[in-house]
Amino acid sequence: MREKIEKLLLEVEQLAAKREQEIEEIRVRLLGKKGSITQLFDEFRNVLPEQKRELGQVLNTLKVSAQNKIEQLRAVLEESMESENPGFDLTKPGDSFELGTRHPISVTRGEILSIFSKFGYEVAEGPEIEDDWHVFGALNFPPEHPARDMQDTFFISDGENPVLLRTHTSSVQVRAMERMPLPIRIVCPGRVFRNEAISARAHCIFHQVEGLYIDKNVSFADLKQAVLLFAREMFGENASIRLRPSYFPFTEPSAEVDVSCNICGGKGCNICKGTGWLEIMGCGMVDPNVLEASGIDSKTYSGFAFGMGIERIAMLKWQVKDLRHYFENDLRFLKQFETVV
Ligand code: DAH
């Protein structure tokens, strides 16, 4: 034992280290739980009583000199850092990263999806690069429909079933009807693309959430109730809705949904242009042609669908007047949503 102690004493004297990590390794190797000095203290318990006094003293000397050496190595290292980098303050706390905030479009998307998940809707997603059949053909768009024009749609290839960037998330309805067992109750969030000039009210890329419910005996009253409950969850419990007749190729009948203006409470203000109402989505009963195109028996099943722009809902909720703010990543704009995360 004495030999071991003396060997270690010599070793301790000669210790050297250039980096903080090396010093820590030395400390663990000697004084850590399984360190060689710690082990000697374990062995010391078995030493004969008459040797205890003498061996105890040298063992303690070893421990103290190891501790001193480590401290000394640290001091030397700090000093050399200081002289190599004048003004280097080892005690200064590090710069912390500034926490980011969620983008208002993500926040709104999450809110819409969580409202519908409470009603039992599952989330379904589909590809952004689609074909003509899923974006138009299966949704009952006639071949000469203007949406199929190059002026409105970004085409990637031509031919019988051209490849294109989807112009709406209604394409995910079609994919769901093709593969999901009935009944279907889904919400489909996603990015959509339109060949539009960018302005305060239009963008060539934006986001939509599509909804679809197909079952036996689904009626227009069910649609109205789902939309009303959504409007109340999103815009407050006093929100009311009105439906205006409209036209979409994929629904019959079709309607546009307005929600009572959440700014003036329906009295009329500059946000709702004096009408007391704000348009929030399109909807309707799924056209039997659309059900049949995806192989669903329209005599047994019926359903409703709705589609809304996430940017539009977010603009109404926070009174954002220019759509372009959502895409410019100006932190002064984005940081305002910190508290709503
Ligand atoms: N796809 C429509 C659009 O992009 C929105 C829409 C309207 C979706 C009515 C629907 C619907 O499902 O029933 O403008």
Side-chain angles (χ1 to χ4, degrees), residues 75-230:
V76 169
L77 182 69
E78 276 186 30
E79 219 168 86
S80 74
M81 297 258 279
E82 172 68 39
S83 62
E84 279 167 30
N85 310 282
F88 194 90
D89 180 0
L90 278 175
T91 62
K92 190 177 172 227
D95 291 332
S96 59
F97 287 105
E98 227 181 299
L99 268 191
T101 59
R102 280 204 294 152
H103 193 282
I105 296 303
S106 307
V107 174
T108 313
R109 176 188 187 273
E111 212 172 322
I112 297 170
L113 297 183
S114 90
I115 292 171
F116 281 105
S117 91
K118 278 193 265 180
F119 303 162
Y121 287 70
E122 278 175 64
V123 174
E125 286 181 298
E128 295 177 347
I129 299 175
E130 259 294 5
D131 54 33
D132 188 280
W133 171 251
H134 289 91
V135 175
F136 300 126
L139 288 164
N140 205 31
F141 280 77
E144 71 285 1
H145 193 282
R148 288 186 144 160
D149 200 304
M150 294 277 280
Q151 255 149 24
D152 298 293
T153 304
F154 292 111
F155 283 91
I156 292 171
S157 76
D158 48 17
E160 183 115 323
N161 184 21
V163 176
L164 45 85
L165 296 181
R166 67 180 178 196
T167 56
H168 55 185
T169 42
S170 306
S171 53
V172 188
Q173 282 190 19
V174 179
R175 297 218 166 253
M177 288 189 287
E178 285 169 354
R179 74 180 158 82
M180 286 175 83
L182 295 163
I184 295 174
R185 190 152 39 179
I186 50 168
V187 266
C188 322
R191 243 184 345 175
V192 300
F193 307 84
R194 287 187 197 172
N195 195 358
E196 301 234 24
I198 296 169
S199 71
R201 305 179 53 118
H203 210 286
C204 54
I205 302 175
F206 56 101
H207 301 80
Q208 289 186 328
V209 174
E210 181 81 14
L212 176 72
Y213 175 35
I214 301 177
D215 203 344
K216 291 178 180 151
N217 301 318
V218 177
S219 73
F220 200 89
D222 299 322
L223 166 60
K224 218 175 142 180
Q225 189 63 13
V227 171
L228 176 64
L229 289 176
F230 166 72

Side-chain angles (χ1 to χ4, degrees), residues 222-288:
D222 299 322
L223 166 60
K224 218 175 142 180
Q225 189 63 13
V227 171
L228 176 64
L229 289 176
F230 166 72
R232 287 194 178 150
E233 293 274 332
M234 194 76 201
F235 295 100
E237 56 185 26
N238 295 323
S240 50
I241 55 160
R242 80 176 177 186
L243 273 65
R244 286 177 286 109
S246 185
Y247 172 77
F248 301 102
F250 36 90
T251 43
E252 181 58 36
S254 307
E256 234 136 335
V257 182
D258 295 341
V259 64
S260 50
C261 179
N262 56 330
I263 312 303
C264 61
K267 282 193 215 73
C269 66
N270 67 341
I271 301 287
C272 59
K273 302 202 184 72
T275 64
W277 297 97
L278 301 162
E279 187 187 320
I280 53 165
M281 65 170 95
C283 66
M285 301 305 291
V286 182
D287 193 302

Side-chain angles (χ1 to χ4, degrees), residues 294-325:
S294 296
I296 294 174
D297 178 6
S298 64
K299 299 228 163 42
T300 318
Y301 286 94
S302 58
F304 63 71
F306 52 86
M308 68 189 101
I310 302 182
E311 281 79 0
R312 177 153 181 86
I313 303 284
M315 281 172 100
L316 296 176
K317 210 169 152 80
W318 290 303
Q319 294 151 53
V320 175
K321 299 233 171 68
D322 192 323
L323 186 65
R324 286 169 291 194
H325 287 310

Side-chain angles (χ1 to χ4, degrees), residues 4-56:
K4 277 195 209 161
I5 296 174
E6 271 165 12
K7 212 173 131 227
L8 275 171
L9 262 172
L10 264 178
E11 201 184 300
V12 166
E13 263 172 50
Q14 286 158 8
L15 282 175
K18 285 209 186 65
R19 290 184 303 127
E20 174 66 34
Q21 201 189 338
E22 289 170 38
I23 301 178
E24 179 59 13
E25 277 162 16
I26 291 171
R27 189 193 65 76
V28 172
R29 180 153 51 83
L30 297 177
L31 299 164
K33 262 199 190 140
K34 293 190 181 139
S36 32
I37 296 179
T38 317
Q39 269 171 15
L40 284 178
F41 272 94
D42 288 343
E43 283 174 36
F44 181 73
R45 275 189 242 126
N46 307 325
V47 164
L48 296 173
E50 56 269 29
Q51 294 181 345
K52 270 210 156 131
R53 194 180 142 84
E54 192 211 333
L55 270 179

